[in-house]
Amino acid sequence: MSNTITDTNFNFPNQKSVYKGKVREVYNISDEQLVMIATDRLSAFDVVMPKGIPYKGQILNQIATKMMAATEDLVPNWLVATPDPNVAVGHLCEPFKVEMVIRGYMSGHAAREYKAGKRLLCGVPMPEGMKENDKFPEPIITPATKAEMGNHDEDISREDILKRGIVSDEDYIVLEDYTRKLFQRGTEIAEKRGLILVDTKYEFGKTKDGKIVLIDEIHTPDSSRYFYADGYQERQDRGEAQKQLSKEFVRQWLISNGFQGKGGQEVPFMSDTYIESVSERYIELYENITGETFVKADVSDIQSRIEANVLGYLERA
């Protein structure tokens, strides 16, 4: 679709390097700042889908920057400016090579592992007698290794992270503390919107002066799962699926079409009608999560728009 951005090849002044993740592309400027562009790529089961989703990058970027502003009193973050709807600019950081996943409910990956008979997830015990989408007695932290594009993130225990020296003991204590604080704040924000923050992941990095900060995205539908609070308990009592706001609907569609990112499986064909429906769901997610009407950016020439806005920012900075 021509109204999407799925790849960029900018050459900004004082550009040192470019890193391309599953969804975001990060430009290093002078080894001081990072220009992070949220593309419209859609990733599921650690596989990037062939077609972009209109407005998805704008939605992710704007939710993440709003949520960073709403949590910066608790946890410092990398963000400096948002010169374009799809762009965030922040301090250069060295990312920790783990994603801090925190789960308040037994859903998604945790539920699939539980159904397979596992009662330990990343070294953390899950109680017997739980049903899918039940609330855990306390939120559990289940970290994952940060995979390169094309590879799968893998579950890892706190003990293995420390034993393998991926994160120091001292830093890991901070990561856990920040993760719990952010999840608590995210839960409170969600409650005000009539939502339940089910699970999410946070990524952290270190600035040049050694400060641990929140990076990447926060509380977006790509990194988080939300349920509608209204009717949650009734649906659980009846054994029904929860009404949710996340990209789980994409995962379920892929599963129903025989795809889970496993070797030999082909990504099912996504029609333009289906792509449009995914875009509409992302807009619904934005409006429910933020409580604001989504304003579509001009997508007639996204590449030129982003380039002009970033160049203008860099000239002023």
Side-chain angles (χ1 to χ4, degrees), residues 284-300:
E284 178 192 353
L285 293 169
Y286 175 93
E287 294 186 340
N288 277 276
I289 291 166
T290 65
E292 299 174 8
T293 301
F294 179 66
V295 179
K296 295 178 178 179
D298 178 4
V299 293
S300 57

Side-chain angles (χ1 to χ4, degrees), residues 85-103:
N86 286 63
V87 178
V89 179
H91 298 291
L92 175 74
C93 297
E94 179 64 35
F96 287 98
K97 291 184 168 56
V98 291
E99 294 180 341
M100 297 299 286
V101 181
I102 182 165
R103 304 176 185 277

Side-chain angles (χ1 to χ4, degrees), residues 111-302:
R112 289 189 280 271
E113 293 288 284
Y114 199 90
K115 279 181 185 171
K118 297 180 183 176
R119 293 297 179 267
L120 271 183
L121 186 59
C122 303
V124 181
M126 296 185 287
E128 289 289 348
M130 291 188 75
K131 300 199 308 284
E132 183 172 1
N133 300 330
D134 275 353
K135 187 175 184 178
F136 285 119
E138 294 289 334
I140 63 172
I141 293 178
T142 59
T145 56
K146 183 80 177 120
E148 293 298 316
M149 189 167 176
N151 294 324
H152 291 277
D153 297 343
E154 292 183 5
D155 292 342
I156 187 169
S157 67
R158 173 184 178 154
E159 289 68 30
D160 279 347
I161 289 170
L162 299 179
K163 187 162 64 179
R164 287 162 56 180
I166 298 171
V167 181
S168 71
D169 290 36
E170 182 184 1
D171 287 347
Y172 196 81
I173 289 168
V174 176
L175 298 189
E176 279 200 331
D177 178 55
Y178 282 175
T179 296
R180 293 193 186 282
K181 284 177 176 171
L182 289 169
F183 189 69
Q184 179 59 35
R185 177 63 59 81
T187 298
E188 292 163 3
I189 293 170
E191 281 175 357
K192 291 174 185 170
R193 309 266 184 257
L195 301 173
I196 294 168
L197 179 57
V198 177
D199 54 42
T200 191
K201 66 176 181 180
Y202 303 113
E203 295 186 41
F204 298 94
K206 263 192 183 177
T207 61
K208 284 187 170 183
D209 58 5
K211 185 179 182 183
I212 295 175
V213 297
L214 175 68
I215 61 172
D216 201 50
E217 62 185 333
I218 165 177
H219 301 158
T220 73
D222 270 22
S223 66
S224 314
R225 193 186 322 268
Y226 292 90
F227 291 157
Y228 287 94
D230 186 34
Y232 162 80
Q233 196 54 55
E234 290 79 1
R235 285 187 284 273
Q236 281 303 96
D237 294 343
R238 292 194 295 263
E240 295 175 0
Q242 286 299 329
K243 191 179 177 192
Q244 60 175 289
L245 280 170
S246 72
K247 69 172 181 184
E248 183 68 17
F249 72 93
V250 175
R251 295 189 195 97
Q252 292 303 326
W253 182 86
L254 290 168
I255 290 170
S256 69
N257 283 274
F259 183 81
Q260 281 184 268
K262 295 176 180 173
Q265 294 182 339
E266 285 190 22
V267 177
F269 173 73
M270 291 183 171
S271 68
D272 285 353
T273 302
Y274 179 71
I275 293 290
E276 196 60 40
S277 75
V278 176
S279 179
E280 287 166 4
R281 284 291 292 274
Y282 267 92
I283 291 171
E284 178 192 353
L285 293 169
Y286 175 93
E287 294 186 340
N288 277 276
I289 291 166
T290 65
E292 299 174 8
T293 301
F294 179 66
V295 179
K296 295 178 178 179
D298 178 4
V299 293
S300 57
D301 188 349
I302 308 176

Side-chain angles (χ1 to χ4, degrees), residues 2 9 11 47 52 60 76 193 199 265 272 300 304:
S2 59
N9 288 289
N11 189 8
V47 175
L60 293 190
R193 309 266 184 257
D199 54 42
Q265 294 182 339
D272 285 353
S300 57
S304 296

Side-chain angles (χ1 to χ4, degrees), residues 2-66:
S2 59
N3 59 339
T4 61
I5 183 165
T6 56
D7 188 37
T8 69
N9 288 289
F10 297 122
N11 189 8
F12 297 121
N14 302 311
Q15 181 175 311
K16 297 286 187 182
S17 61
V18 185
Y19 167 79
K20 300 200 174 190
K22 292 169 196 150
V23 173
R24 289 169 174 76
E25 307 197 341
V26 185
Y27 290 79
N28 175 338
I29 310 297
S30 301
D31 286 331
E32 293 291 338
Q33 286 194 318
L34 298 178
V35 172
M36 186 163 74
I37 299 168
T39 72
D40 295 321
R41 293 196 293 266
L42 175 64
S43 165
F45 297 114
D46 296 318
V47 175
V48 175
M49 302 293 113
K51 293 182 179 178
I53 306 299
Y55 303 106
K56 177 177 174 288
Q58 178 189 350
I59 287 165
L60 293 190
N61 188 58
Q62 291 189 331
I63 291 175
T65 53
K66 285 175 187 296

